[in-house]
Amino acid sequence: MGTCCVLPGTRGFSAYGGLSARGPGFGLRALAVVLVALALTTAPARADDVNQVKADMLWNIAKFIRWPESAFAKGESDFVFTILGDDSLAEALAASLSTRTINGRPVFVRVVGRVQDVVGSQILYVAASTLGRFPDVVRELRGSPVLTVANAPGFVEGGGMVDFVAEDEKVRFEIHQARAEKAGLKISARLLALARVVESDASAGR
């Protein structure tokens, strides 16, 4: 793992901007978690280690995003993380996230093969084997508060919300802020400061 940078002026900040009502310790601890996994992370040499870094990054990314209450079925406590298809990162995500919580909710991981089964998710990971069906996924999820993620360069420009990119031997991530917020997701300004925010939309003409 590489070294982590420290952002200036972090004292007492909450994840969603402004001074934290819970005191400076809360803001610093929250930022420390996301910075360790996200900020200028050096990619390990082994593919398995890289996938674990990305799994940890996605977990931290999710903790700095708010979903509307309407995203959860009434009385439902689980955070549904759906994997469509299969690839090496999908396996790491399933193993890592199934033992964790996001925003106080236990993560329920499910692996599906049909596009129509992605409904009811809070996060959807589109594996390499199913990227060709992503336009169908977009139509299926239209208007739903679902964070779409893939491990594919150009995924964000093509209609997704988050993808991972390698740059200077480091793992970084891209976010399409406008698309995520249009779906009803609230992204922390602290997270956006660490992301490459993409504004182009190659899918607009579809």
Side-chain angles (χ1 to χ4, degrees):
M1 296 288 288
T3 58
C4 171
C5 68
V6 178
L7 297 182
T10 57
R11 179 177 176 82
F13 279 108
S14 68
Y16 290 87
L19 289 173
S20 171
R22 304 187 194 184
F26 174 78
L28 289 173
R29 286 195 300 271
L31 275 174
V33 170
V34 74
L35 285 170
V36 167
L38 301 181
L40 306 181
T41 303
T42 301
R46 297 189 333 180
D48 288 348
D49 292 341
V50 174
N51 284 334
Q52 187 58 55
V53 167
K54 292 176 179 178
D56 291 340
M57 288 176 72
L58 182 55
W59 176 58
N60 281 295
I61 287 169
K63 291 193 296 182
F64 281 71
I65 295 176
R66 285 180 180 167
W67 277 257
E69 285 302 316
S70 61
F72 303 92
K74 187 174 182 180
E76 178 59 61
S77 62
D78 288 343
F79 188 102
V80 180
F81 175 74
T82 301
I83 298 170
L84 176 64
D86 181 54
D87 60 21
S88 61
L89 179 54
E91 296 175 8
L93 289 168
S96 178
L97 297 184
S98 62
T99 61
R100 301 188 179 187
T101 63
I102 294 176
N103 298 335
R105 295 175 179 269
V107 179
F108 174 70
V109 177
R110 61 181 185 176
V111 180
V112 301
R114 302 186 307 169
V115 169
Q116 56 265 42
D117 292 333
V118 304
V119 175
S121 313
Q122 278 74 59
I123 297 181
L124 171 66
Y125 175 73
V126 183
S129 62
T130 55
L131 283 171
R133 289 189 277 164
F134 186 61
D136 296 331
V137 171
V138 172
R139 286 189 287 271
E140 192 72 32
L141 294 178
R142 193 175 302 278
S144 300
V146 180
L147 185 75
T148 54
V149 183
N151 186 33
F155 177 72
V156 169
E157 289 90 339
M161 297 179 189
V162 174
D163 65 24
F164 299 105
V165 295
E167 184 178 282
D168 299 329
E169 298 185 349
K170 303 178 192 299
V171 177
R172 302 179 188 272
F173 65 102
E174 299 178 322
I175 290 181
H176 199 296
Q177 179 185 4
R179 186 176 298 127
E181 292 185 347
K182 184 177 180 180
L185 307 180
K186 174 65 175 177
I187 304 175
S188 163
R190 307 291 174 252
L191 182 63
L192 293 173
L194 297 173
R196 177 183 297 161
V197 179
V198 176
E199 298 179 356
S200 61
D201 191 354
S203 66
R206 293 178 184 169

